[in-house]
Amino acid sequence: MSNAEGLSVPALPEQVELSSNFLWRLEMKLIPKEIEATLPPLYSQENVADPVAVIKLFHPCGRYTLYVLEGSREPDDDLLFFGFCVSPLGPDCDELGYVSLRELESIRGPLGIGIERDLHFKPTPLSGIRKRGD
């Protein structure tokens, strides 16, 4: 490889690894079918005293985290989630609400990076999330 002046610049393995990792992030399937199949349907936890979050979504360059409690396919084939959004402004700004998969997949931040799913998240009661604040 050479730079603009024609000087030879060796390719570093870190550059290749970083590049392929970046591409993986761009192509990450946010909610694969096998995970979608485990989602409690919308309204199924509405009378549960301490509902369980089953998926954690976040933006690597952002400050908000969404804990998905429930989800169902809509007639237009979009997936609608009900979840708990943790705000960096503190617990007074945290909120429960609805968001669609299509909407989440359209979010792009710096470097074109989108929302990601925490691959290591284990289902957690909402009380535990509120207590930890993460």
Side-chain angles (χ1 to χ4, degrees):
M1 176 165 61
S2 62
N3 64 14
E5 290 83 32
L7 299 174
S8 179
V9 179
L12 301 175
E14 296 83 29
Q15 291 173 323
V16 174
E17 186 175 313
L18 177 62
S19 176
S20 62
N21 185 30
F22 177 72
L23 291 175
W24 173 82
R25 287 179 179 215
L26 288 176
E27 296 170 8
M28 178 185 204
K29 179 113 174 103
L30 206 51
I31 308 295
K33 292 290 183 192
E34 62 272 9
I35 291 178
E36 181 181 341
T38 67
L39 271 176
L42 287 176
Y43 314 110
S44 64
Q45 297 192 73
E46 109 181 303
N47 294 319
V48 175
D50 196 11
V52 175
V54 293
I55 300 171
K56 177 181 177 183
L57 302 173
F58 65 97
H59 193 284
C61 300
R63 302 179 301 173
Y64 292 89
T65 301
L66 174 66
Y67 292 91
V68 176
L69 302 169
E70 305 168 342
S72 293
R73 282 279 165 193
E74 294 290 288
D76 67 355
D77 202 38
D78 196 4
L79 186 56
L80 184 64
F81 299 120
F82 179 72
F84 180 66
C85 184
V86 176
S87 167
L89 302 175
D92 291 344
C93 296
D94 295 346
E95 65 181 4
L96 291 164
Y98 295 90
V99 65
S100 75
L101 178 60
R102 199 170 286 142
E103 184 179 2
L104 291 171
E105 289 176 335
S106 73
I107 296 172
R108 290 284 178 253
L111 305 174
I113 297 173
I115 302 294
E116 293 187 14
R117 177 175 31 88
D118 182 338
L119 302 176
H120 304 286
F121 180 73
K122 302 283 187 242
T124 305
L126 193 53
S127 63
I129 293 167
R130 284 183 164 147
K131 192 182 302 179
R132 282 197 326 249
D134 81 321

